[in-house]
Amino acid sequence: MNDSKRAVVTGASSGIGAASVRALVADGWAVVALARREERLKALADELGDAVSYAVCDITDEASTQAAVDQVLAGGQVKALVNCAGAAFGKDPVATASLDDWRNMYELNVLGTLRITQKLLPALKQAPGGGTVLVISSTAGIEPYEGGAGYCASKFAEKVMARVLRLEQIGEPVRVIDIAPGMVHTDEFSLKRFGGDEQRAQAVYAGVPSPLTAEDIAECVRWALGQPDTVDIDSIVVRPRAEGSYTKVYREH
Ligand code: 8X3
């Protein structure tokens, strides 16, 4: 393990976040895993050993995020922030969408990402060679689709935040990387979106030959962070081969 390679990963209890922790540790990073579910974080730390420490953190909550950031900074330098925490809630048309669903997506995907990024940015810029802010946005932040207005709007916002941060920090020792995945089959993404409805969640992936996996995206994270400090992988868009767009997906039936 290399002391100067210390990363913070949010949303680390499942999906792309947990896979990113594993990929980074395999690549020699020390990782601080952040998420709300302590038992999952503990299991990840038990699995991966000394390279992983963790802090319970709800990025939608100011006090919880500050406490986690304090713990991160007390543990030493931090070179990368990998923003994986995020979710979709609901898939209702604009005409009838739940304001709470929209509010929760903005709180988590936009304001939560902003909150922890702001808090860690000064430390990231002090890392030897410079630091990195990485966001896992989505193809939903490139191409809106029916039923997805709330989620897409939050992901457009997250992408804009990343792009503007990059512009504002030009000349400073920090990179901003945006990875935008298309269809990724994780245990929880669609289940959360459809409020625990297993059937609706599974239907999203029905017949699709090979949706992306969390590990596919984690590999992008690992690779992008592994480039020289002066090389900024500005953005990566990743889709399964079977997906041309959200509404053009090949399915074997
Ligand atoms: C997830 C991609 O296709 O469900 O970020 O909008 S999609």
Side-chain angles (χ1 to χ4, degrees):
M1 200 189 316
N2 177 344
D3 276 355
S4 65
K5 284 172 69 174
R6 184 165 178 261
V8 173
V9 177
T10 70
S13 59
S14 66
I16 294 169
S20 295
V21 174
R22 292 189 178 97
L24 291 176
V25 167
D27 217 18
W29 288 79
V31 178
V32 189
L34 305 186
R36 287 176 308 175
R37 291 175 291 187
E38 185 166 16
E39 69 293 348
R40 296 246 188 157
L41 296 173
K42 186 175 180 320
L44 200 59
D46 289 346
E47 173 195 327
L48 296 170
D50 287 350
V52 175
S53 60
Y54 64 86
V56 173
C57 178
D58 175 356
I59 61 167
T60 68
D61 183 271
E62 176 64 24
S64 167
T65 308
Q66 189 60 55
V69 164
D70 290 347
Q71 187 179 321
V72 167
L73 297 179
Q77 284 171 334
V78 52
K79 187 160 179 69
L81 167 63
V82 182
N83 284 296
C84 298
F89 300 115
K91 204 171 161 229
D92 300 314
V94 173
T96 55
S98 148
L99 286 176
D100 281 340
D101 281 346
W102 279 57
R103 189 175 293 116
N104 290 335
M105 289 188 281
Y106 273 78
E107 285 288 349
L108 179 58
N109 302 342
V110 187
L111 301 178
T113 302
L114 174 63
R115 175 179 288 115
I116 192 155
T117 300
Q118 285 181 335
K119 289 183 188 298
L120 283 174
L121 189 61
L124 290 164
K125 290 164 68 171
Q126 282 166 17
T132 303
V133 174
L134 189 152
V135 300
I136 302 294
S137 64
S138 172
T139 50
I142 298 170
E143 220 173 44
Y145 52 85
E146 288 163 87
Y151 180 63
C152 294
S154 74
K155 287 295 178 175
F156 269 78
E158 193 177 339
K159 284 180 89 63
V160 168
M161 176 170 48
R163 178 155 293 276
V164 173
L165 177 65
R166 188 168 191 274
L167 289 172
E168 290 169 349
Q169 295 292 324
I170 289 299
E172 297 292 317
V174 65
R175 307 182 290 190
V176 182
I177 297 172
D178 172 6
I179 298 180
M183 182 187 283
V184 184
H185 192 171
T186 60
D187 291 342
E188 295 186 337
F189 179 81
S190 292
L191 210 53
K192 264 191 204 167
R193 175 168 229 174
F194 297 119
D197 185 331
E198 194 69 62
Q199 246 182 340
R200 281 188 84 187
Q202 285 310 321
V204 171
Y205 314 103
V208 179
S210 290
L212 297 172
T213 64
E215 288 70 30
D216 293 325
I217 307 307
E219 172 57 13
C220 296
V221 170
R222 185 202 65 75
W223 175 78
L225 286 186
Q227 298 308 301
D229 286 321
T230 49
V231 176
D232 188 337
I233 305 301
D234 180 304
S235 42
I236 300 177
V237 180
V238 208
R239 296 180 188 273
R241 189 174 65 189
E243 181 188 44
S245 73
Y246 187 87
T247 53
K248 178 78 180 177
V249 177
Y250 172 73
R251 295 177 196 268
E252 291 166 344
H253 286 300

